[in-house]
């Protein structure tokens, strides 16, 4: 029984670690995409592992 519990703990730890790495990777990729879509890093409002938002800037009309 102790071996079974140890295996479950190891499997849970590996799964949590993989999830954390995936989330970090997604945030990194969204930050790169946001910089392109928003016109630069200074125009990024927020970035998460699921989405990003740009700061709305007033557009000048000529």
């Amino acid at each position: 029984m102790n071996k079974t519990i140890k295996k479950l703990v190891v499997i849970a730890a590996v799964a949590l670690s993989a999830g954390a790495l995936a989330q970090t990777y997604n945030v990194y990729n969204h930050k790169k995409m946001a910089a392109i879509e928003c016109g630069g890093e200074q125009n990024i409002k927020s970035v998460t592992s699921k989405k990003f938002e740009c700061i709305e800037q007033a557009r000048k009309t000529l």
Side-chain angles (χ1 to χ4, degrees), residues 44-55:
I44 299 172
K45 183 176 181 181
S46 67
V47 177
T48 67
S49 64
K50 296 183 180 182
K51 65 179 183 174
F52 62 84
E53 293 181 68
C54 300
I55 296 172

Side-chain angles (χ1 to χ4, degrees), residues 14-62:
V14 169
L16 290 173
S17 296
L21 286 173
Q23 185 174 8
T24 302
Y25 179 75
N26 286 339
V27 169
Y28 174 76
N29 281 336
H30 279 116
K31 190 170 184 180
K32 288 191 333 185
M33 288 189 303
I36 293 168
E37 291 290 324
C38 298
E41 287 188 23
Q42 69 277 8
N43 297 329
I44 299 172
K45 183 176 181 181
S46 67
V47 177
T48 67
S49 64
K50 296 183 180 182
K51 65 179 183 174
F52 62 84
E53 293 181 68
C54 300
I55 296 172
E56 291 186 31
Q57 297 180 336
R59 295 184 180 174
K60 295 179 182 177
T61 56
L62 299 174

Side-chain angles (χ1 to χ4, degrees), residues 2-18:
N2 276 342
K3 288 184 181 182
T4 304
I5 292 173
K6 287 180 183 180
K7 285 181 185 179
L8 290 174
V9 169
V10 169
I11 290 170
V14 169
L16 290 173
S17 296

